[in-house]
Amino acid sequence: IVHWMESVLHAGETPHLHSYASCVVRVCETALEHGISLVGAQFTMVGEPLTAARLAIVQRAGARASIRYASAEMSVVGFGCMAPQATDEVHFMTDRCAVIQPQTESVSGLHRDALLVTSLKPTARLVLLNVSMGDTGVVNQRACGCALEHLGWTTHLHSIRSFEKLSAGGVTFSDADLVRVLEDTLPAKFGGGPTDYQLLDEESPDGKPRVRLLVHPRLGPMDPAQVR
């Protein structure tokens, strides 16, 4: 992929790769390792948070990155701001969906910053009414001056994270699958109860996703390979 992007750049054209954020990081790391400049290349990063560490690696390789916010139910509803204040800031497409937040923890057990979306277009693939996609975020209005604002999209969204899914390395695990493993499978094999096993979604200093499985010390020594 890196050699293809290099050849397109040498031909005076613009290579544009659309992929998961962590996959883009791997491409840029490979380019840096081999001394290949990606100045002029562009990436659209999806599926995982665009953190400062991940963006720094893309920029170090010389490329430009933008993001899109989408889901299977909504399709694309957010395009990356071209004058962002946060690394993952998008313009929310208010002509396609409306978004509100509970602002309190007491509403149906949802996170107070949960994003609840309602479809507006009669051609929407699904009719949604205050549906949670399992994501949280910061919603605000601000004048950024970029081209997307001039199109009428003045609602901004950033710090988008999932509170019910785990996405790492381009793979998404549903909460139901994780709960079954953590609360049933592991306790049945290694002892303990449903609160003794925990998954922690982290990011290494070089921007790579990392998932750690934590086991309560009270269960005693275990073979890490077997638990994994």
Side-chain angles (χ1 to χ4, degrees):
I1 293 173
V2 171
H3 287 309
W4 166 76
M5 299 185 80
E6 183 183 34
S7 67
V8 173
L9 288 167
H10 286 169
E13 299 177 342
T14 302
H16 187 166
L17 187 63
H18 183 284
S19 187
Y20 290 103
S22 57
C23 298
V24 169
V25 169
R26 290 183 60 189
V27 169
C28 292
E29 286 178 333
T30 301
L32 290 168
E33 289 170 5
H34 291 81
I36 297 175
S37 173
L38 294 183
V39 173
Q42 296 184 6
F43 293 99
T44 296
M45 303 167 75
V46 298
E48 300 165 357
L50 175 56
T51 62
R54 291 171 178 173
L55 182 60
I57 291 173
V58 175
Q59 293 174 336
R60 205 157 67 233
R64 296 180 60 188
S66 184
I67 64 170
R68 289 184 183 177
Y69 180 48
S71 74
E73 297 84 0
M74 300 183 298
S75 188
V76 179
V77 292
F79 285 101
C81 179
M82 290 177 274
Q85 291 183 341
T87 55
D88 66 341
E89 187 172 2
V90 299
H91 286 260
F92 192 81
M93 301 170 68
T94 47
D95 57 321
R96 302 190 64 173
C97 286
V99 59
I100 61 172
Q101 295 175 291
Q103 296 301 323
T104 175
E105 302 287 355
S106 63
V107 179
S108 302
L110 289 173
H111 192 283
R112 68 186 311 274
D113 294 325
L115 304 174
L116 306 179
V117 295
T118 297
S119 53
L120 300 179
K121 299 180 74 68
T123 54
R125 60 180 64 181
L126 288 175
V127 176
L128 307 175
L129 179 60
N130 290 341
V131 174
S132 168
M133 295 292 107
D135 294 335
T136 62
V138 176
V139 182
N140 59 24
Q141 302 280 336
R142 77 175 185 91
C144 65
C146 89
L148 294 176
E149 179 190 351
H150 297 316
L151 293 177
W153 295 327
T154 58
T155 298
H156 290 246
L157 180 62
H158 67 84
S159 302
I160 306 166
R161 300 292 186 271
S162 174
F163 62 87
E164 65 178 25
K165 298 183 296 293
L166 173 64
S167 295
V171 179
T172 298
F173 303 92
S174 73
D175 57 341
D177 291 334
L178 292 177
V179 168
R180 176 177 53 81
V181 172
L182 297 176
E183 297 190 359
D184 297 328
T185 307
L186 289 173
K189 185 164 185 177
F190 299 103
T195 62
D196 291 326
Y197 301 87
Q198 189 178 63
L199 279 180
L200 186 61
D201 184 14
E202 295 183 329
E203 181 180 68
S204 61
D206 59 3
K208 291 180 180 177
R210 180 169 58 192
V211 179
R212 296 178 61 205
L213 174 61
L214 307 181
V215 182
H216 200 292
R218 73 179 183 85
L219 300 184
M222 293 188 182
D223 182 349
Q226 286 190 356
V227 177
R228 282 197 297 268

